[in-house]
Amino acid sequence: RRAAENAMKIFDLGRELYKRFGDAYRHLSQVGVSLARAVENYNRCLGSSERLLFPALRRFGELSESELFPWPEAAAEPPRELSPTWAPPPEGGPDGSGGGGVG
Protein backbone atom coordinates (compact mmCIF):
# COMPACT_ATOMS: atom_id res chain seq x y z
CA ARG A 1 0.00 0.00 0.00
CA ARG A 2 2.81 2.44 0.86
CA ALA A 3 4.53 1.70 -2.45
CA ALA A 4 1.31 2.56 -4.31
CA GLU A 5 1.02 5.87 -2.42
CA ASN A 6 4.63 6.72 -3.23
CA ALA A 7 4.05 5.80 -6.88
CA MET A 8 1.05 8.17 -7.00
CA LYS A 9 3.12 10.97 -5.40
CA ILE A 10 5.89 10.40 -7.96
CA PHE A 11 3.32 10.39 -10.76
CA ASP A 12 1.75 13.64 -9.50
CA LEU A 13 5.16 15.29 -9.08
CA GLY A 14 6.17 14.16 -12.57
CA ARG A 15 2.99 15.60 -14.06
CA GLU A 16 3.56 18.91 -12.21
CA LEU A 17 7.20 19.01 -13.32
CA TYR A 18 6.17 18.34 -16.93
CA LYS A 19 3.60 21.17 -16.78
CA ARG A 20 6.14 23.58 -15.28
CA PHE A 21 8.70 22.65 -17.90
CA GLY A 22 6.12 23.35 -20.62
CA ASP A 23 5.37 26.76 -19.10
CA ALA A 24 9.08 27.61 -18.85
CA TYR A 25 9.66 26.42 -22.42
CA ARG A 26 6.86 28.66 -23.72
CA HIS A 27 8.29 31.65 -21.83
CA LEU A 28 11.78 30.93 -23.12
CA SER A 29 10.44 30.57 -26.65
CA GLN A 30 8.73 33.97 -26.34
CA VAL A 31 12.00 35.51 -25.10
CA GLY A 32 13.69 34.13 -28.22
CA VAL A 33 11.03 35.67 -30.46
CA SER A 34 11.34 38.99 -28.62
CA LEU A 35 15.14 38.95 -28.90
CA ALA A 36 14.93 38.24 -32.63
CA ARG A 37 12.49 41.14 -33.03
CA ALA A 38 14.76 43.42 -30.96
CA VAL A 39 17.78 42.53 -33.13
CA GLU A 40 15.73 43.13 -36.28
CA ASN A 41 14.59 46.54 -35.02
CA TYR A 42 18.13 47.42 -33.90
CA ASN A 43 19.47 46.55 -37.36
CA ARG A 44 16.72 48.61 -39.03
CA CYS A 45 17.49 51.59 -36.80
CA LEU A 46 21.22 51.31 -37.46
CA GLY A 47 20.66 51.02 -41.23
CA SER A 48 18.35 54.02 -41.22
CA SER A 49 20.82 56.01 -39.14
CA GLU A 50 23.69 55.15 -41.48
CA ARG A 51 21.65 56.11 -44.57
CA LEU A 52 19.82 59.19 -43.29
CA LEU A 53 20.98 60.48 -39.91
CA PHE A 54 24.78 60.21 -40.05
CA PRO A 55 25.16 61.95 -43.43
CA ALA A 56 22.97 64.82 -42.20
CA LEU A 57 25.03 65.08 -39.02
CA ARG A 58 28.24 65.19 -41.08
CA ARG A 59 26.81 68.04 -43.19
CA PHE A 60 25.71 69.79 -40.00
CA GLY A 61 29.23 69.44 -38.58
CA GLU A 62 30.71 71.08 -41.67
CA LEU A 63 29.02 74.37 -40.78
CA SER A 64 30.98 76.72 -38.57
CA GLU A 65 29.84 77.25 -35.01
CA SER A 66 29.20 80.94 -35.59
CA GLU A 67 26.77 80.06 -38.40
CA LEU A 68 24.92 77.59 -36.19
CA PHE A 69 24.87 79.31 -32.84
CA PRO A 70 25.51 83.03 -32.92
CA TRP A 71 26.24 84.32 -29.45
CA PRO A 72 23.43 86.47 -28.03
CA GLU A 73 24.12 90.03 -27.04
CA ALA A 74 24.71 90.71 -23.37
CA ALA A 75 21.68 91.93 -21.44
CA ALA A 76 21.57 95.71 -21.35
CA GLU A 77 19.88 95.82 -17.98
CA PRO A 78 19.97 93.53 -14.94
CA PRO A 79 17.49 90.64 -14.83
CA ARG A 80 14.19 91.12 -13.06
CA GLU A 81 13.95 89.97 -9.47
CA LEU A 82 11.56 87.15 -8.65
CA SER A 83 8.36 88.45 -7.09
CA PRO A 84 7.93 87.25 -3.48
CA THR A 85 4.16 86.84 -3.96
CA TRP A 86 4.64 83.24 -5.15
CA ALA A 87 6.39 82.16 -1.94
CA PRO A 88 4.67 79.82 0.54
CA PRO A 89 3.79 81.15 4.01
CA PRO A 90 6.62 81.09 6.60
CA GLU A 91 7.10 78.01 8.81
CA GLY A 92 4.51 77.82 11.57
CA GLY A 93 1.60 79.38 9.71
CA PRO A 94 0.76 82.52 7.75
CA ASP A 95 1.44 84.83 10.70
CA GLY A 96 4.63 83.01 11.81
CA SER A 97 3.16 82.25 15.23
CA GLY A 98 3.12 78.49 14.82
CA GLY A 99 -0.62 78.27 15.28
CA GLY A 100 -1.49 77.74 11.66
CA GLY A 101 -3.54 80.96 11.56
CA VAL A 102 -6.88 79.12 11.14
CA GLY A 103 -9.39 78.25 13.72
Side-chain angles (χ1 to χ4, degrees), residues 4 8-9 11 24 26 33 36 44 46 64 75 85-87 95 100 102:
M8 282 304 295
K9 286 180 184 178
F11 177 78
R26 281 188 292 281
V33 168
R44 279 188 196 156
L46 187 59
S64 70
T85 58
W86 71 269
D95 60 0
V102 178

Side-chain angles (χ1 to χ4, degrees), residues 75 77-86:
E77 56 189 67
R80 256 178 56 188
E81 300 252 342
L82 183 61
S83 170
T85 58
W86 71 269

Side-chain angles (χ1 to χ4, degrees), residues 27-49:
H27 291 306
L28 192 57
S29 178
Q30 187 60 45
V31 168
V33 168
S34 296
L35 284 173
R37 191 174 305 129
V39 168
E40 181 182 337
N41 288 328
Y42 172 82
N43 288 339
R44 279 188 196 156
C45 180
L46 187 59
S48 176
S49 296

Side-chain angles (χ1 to χ4, degrees), residues 65-78:
E65 285 185 29
S66 61
E67 291 174 305
L68 296 174
F69 306 107
W71 289 100
E73 297 291 322
E77 56 189 67

